[in-house]
């Protein structure tokens, strides 16, 4: 069996996919198959000399892979090729390999294309009675702008067939749209750009599922701490979900099983849901291993990637002993690790485009402690006392009052700029007013440089922090 890796590590496609490739090798070795790895990355375990029976250190292009497969076929029986474990790179090769007569084991290339193709996927959602945000597909900039106006701002603009949210933007006006639309088309030339209605302040949920074609089992549900609009690789996540009702989770289960059946999934599948006003929306479905599979496997103690590899070669979940969803008895919190310090001048904000280069896990019987453990592992940990700079957008000001009261109760002193400071003072919260960066002194930046601010709570208006906010965030990282 040939396993296609993910190629060189980069932001958006990294070690979590290599984990899946390695586990596939180990599982198929146990099942008596000879494993052949095609990958070109010296920094991974999958390219170690003792992981697979044979390693081809070659680029993951259709031409190179087909040549290797022809060589292997001439040597003996090639059972098939697994494209599900290396992220988007091998998935994009599936159709070309199928045309060349290669047996793709697991979910078929047709099903992979159905999940990626907006029209085909919409037809399946209609058939299943499931909703997705209002959307359009554009092949040029003029159509894209017209569709954005039809849908109504804010919209999510994204290229198709990419991983890591590359070239994805949330835009709130025509001016912002015109500034970024060219970049979205340049990411994947000759491929359509997708325009979706952006569901502001929706709760996002990632679900990882495994199916053998007959039985589908949910591996884990991870609720994002950040609202929808942050890439799942960057979002902090909680497993099991911490705010959704049992009724909503049952609706999610039903939708997940229906999608696995409709797409004829054999192996792993990841579904991204959004919940707004108690309505469930499907954002996207990926019929492959997702970057959350290693986290979920660790949380429930079941090697999902190994099971998926065995399922792809014909094993059934009931024979492998995994037939029901397992819920951890403790809270598992995933937090991302970011390289902002290495990119001076970069926008320090989370968006649909992935920026993290690692992740950590916090586990505890108490959700707050699990979250604190994850923050401590991601560094720096949460302070327990000191000065807190609190500056939030207008929509968040009412909620900030209660938060500030709790922080004062814990022994923090609150510092804010004029707008937030007025709201806090009017509600009886003790607060020290700081000048905005162009208003005079003292400012938050000066206090940060002097080590006098220990925590910042800042919500920018829109997806791009204003210049002042980004300067404060940059100084916070540097100090």
């Amino acid at each position: 069996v040939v396993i296609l890796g993910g190629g060189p590590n980069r932001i958006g496609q990294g070690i979590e996919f290599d984990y899946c490739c390695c586990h596939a090798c180990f599982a198929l070795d146990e099942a008596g198959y000879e494993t052949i790895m095609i990958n070109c990355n010296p920094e991974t375990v999958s390219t170690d000399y003792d992981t697979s029976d044979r390693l081809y250190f070659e680029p993951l292009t259709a031409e190179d892979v087909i040549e290797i497969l022809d060589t292997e076929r001439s040597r003996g029986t090639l059972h098939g090729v697994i494209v599900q474990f290396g992220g988007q790179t091998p998935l994009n090769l599936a159709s070309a390999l199928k045309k060349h007569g290669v047996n793709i084991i697991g979910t078929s290339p047709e099903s992979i294309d159905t999940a990626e193709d907006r029209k085909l996927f919409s037809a399946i959602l209609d058939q299943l009675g499931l909703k997705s945000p209002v959307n359009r597909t554009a092949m040029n900039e003029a159509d894209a702008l017209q569709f954005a106006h039809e849908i109504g701002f804010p919209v999510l603009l994204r290229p198709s067939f990419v991983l890591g949210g590359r070239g994805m933007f949330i835009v709130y006006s025509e001016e912002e749209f015109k500034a970024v639309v060219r970049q979205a088309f340049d990411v994947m030339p000759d491929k359509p750009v997708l325009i979706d209605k952006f569901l502001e302040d929706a709760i996002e949920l990632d679900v990882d599922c495994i199916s053998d074609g007959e039985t589908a089992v949910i591996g884990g549900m991870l609720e994002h701490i950040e609202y929808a609009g942050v890439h799942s690789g960057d979002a902090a996540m909680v497993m099991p979900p911490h705010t959704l009702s049992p009724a909503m989770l049952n609706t999610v289960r039903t939708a997940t099983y229906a999608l696995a059946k409709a797409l004829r999934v054999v192996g792993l599948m990841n579904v991204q849901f959004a919940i707004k006003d108690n309505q469930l929306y499907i954002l996207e479905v990926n019929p492959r291993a997702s970057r959350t599979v290693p986290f979920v496997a660790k949380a429930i103690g079941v090697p999902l990637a190994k099971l998926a590899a065995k399922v792809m070669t014909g094993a059934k979940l009931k024979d492998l002993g995994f037939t029901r969803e397992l819920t951890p008895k403790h809270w598992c919190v995933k937090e991302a690790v970011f390289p902002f310090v290495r990119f001076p001048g970069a926008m320090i904000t989370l968006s649909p485009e992935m920026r993290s280069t690692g992740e950590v896990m916090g586990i505890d019987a108490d959700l707050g402690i699990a979250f604190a453990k994850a923050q401590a592992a991601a560094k720096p940990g949460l302070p327990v006392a000191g000065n807190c700079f609190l500056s939030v957008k207008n929509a968040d000001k009412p909620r900030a009052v209660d938060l500030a009261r709790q922080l004062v109760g814990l022994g923090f002193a609150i510092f804010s700029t004029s707008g937030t400071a007025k709201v806090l003072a009017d509600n009886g919260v003790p607060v020290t007013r700081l000048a905005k960066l162009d208003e005079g002194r003292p400012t938050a930046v000066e206090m940060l440089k002097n080590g006098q601010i220990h925590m910042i709570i800042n919500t920018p208006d829109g997806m791009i922090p204003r210049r002042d906010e980004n300067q404060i965030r940059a100084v916070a990282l540097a100090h």
Side-chain angles (χ1 to χ4, degrees), residues 21-74:
C21 292
C22 293
H23 275 239
C25 278
F26 304 147
L28 295 177
D29 191 47
E30 285 168 21
Y33 289 93
E34 188 179 36
T35 54
I36 299 157
M37 173 65 65
I38 305 176
N39 203 1
C40 54
N41 188 348
E43 288 294 312
T44 60
V45 181
S46 68
T47 54
D48 282 3
Y49 69 94
D50 57 351
T51 297
S52 56
D53 292 305
R54 261 199 307 293
L55 167 68
Y56 285 92
F57 200 89
E58 298 290 343
L60 285 150
T61 64
E63 188 182 356
D64 288 283
V65 172
I66 286 168
E67 202 166 314
I68 292 165
L69 297 177
D70 287 344
T71 304
E72 283 298 333
R73 282 199 279 205
S74 67

Side-chain angles (χ1 to χ4, degrees), residues 388 390-392 397-405 408 414-432:
C388 173
L390 179 65
S391 170
V392 296
K397 285 187 167 84
R399 282 182 288 180
V401 173
D402 185 47
L403 184 66
R405 279 201 190 102
V408 170
I414 307 293
F415 292 79
S416 299
T417 48
S418 51
T420 309
K422 183 178 185 310
V423 173
L424 296 180
D426 289 350
N427 284 275
V429 178
V431 58
T432 305

Side-chain angles (χ1 to χ4, degrees), residues 70-270:
D70 287 344
T71 304
E72 283 298 333
R73 282 199 279 205
S74 67
R75 286 180 174 178
T77 309
L78 180 63
H79 184 71
V81 177
I82 293 178
V83 298
Q84 269 191 38
F85 289 143
Q88 196 70 31
T89 304
L91 218 57
N92 288 348
L93 299 176
S95 296
L97 298 181
K98 179 91 186 249
K99 276 182 196 153
H100 193 70
V102 175
N103 179 31
I104 305 290
I105 60 174
T107 307
S108 70
E110 291 79 12
S111 290
I112 292 168
D113 285 344
T114 300
E116 291 273 9
D117 185 289
R118 184 54 68 86
K119 280 185 184 159
L120 297 175
F121 187 58
S122 290
I124 281 191
L125 292 183
D126 291 344
Q127 183 189 319
L128 298 175
L130 296 170
K131 280 190 218 168
S132 64
V134 180
N135 58 70
R136 298 280 188 280
T137 303
M139 291 302 294
N140 59 60
E141 292 175 44
D143 284 354
L145 182 59
Q146 183 192 331
F147 294 150
H149 279 299
E150 283 174 20
I151 293 168
F153 292 102
V155 296
L156 176 67
L157 186 67
R158 58 191 176 123
S160 45
F161 300 93
V162 296
L163 191 78
R166 214 152 50 89
M168 266 196 206
F169 301 95
I170 292 166
V171 287
Y172 287 80
S173 65
E174 182 175 331
E175 191 184 351
E176 279 183 27
F177 190 91
K178 286 177 175 171
V180 298
V181 66
R182 183 70 256 152
Q183 293 175 52
F185 276 100
D186 287 345
V187 171
M188 291 293 276
D190 306 321
K191 295 275 189 210
V193 161
L194 316 174
I195 299 122
D196 298 72
K197 177 69 181 170
F198 176 58
L199 301 172
E200 204 155 19
D201 294 350
I203 293 169
E204 199 165 330
L205 187 72
D206 260 69
V207 177
D208 283 314
C209 169
I210 183 169
S211 171
D212 59 14
E214 295 167 11
T215 308
V217 181
I218 287 175
M221 297 190 195
L222 300 105
E223 183 180 340
H224 294 210
I225 289 175
E226 293 86 356
Y227 282 135
V230 173
H231 192 278
S232 60
D234 289 354
M237 296 182 181
V238 179
M239 181 181 170
H242 61 299
T243 69
L244 297 172
S245 68
M248 179 52 75
L249 294 179
N250 281 331
T251 306
V252 167
R253 285 185 186 99
T254 306
T256 304
Y257 295 141
L259 284 163
K261 191 174 180 184
L263 289 168
R264 299 188 183 91
V265 171
V266 178
L268 290 163
M269 174 182 83
N270 170 264

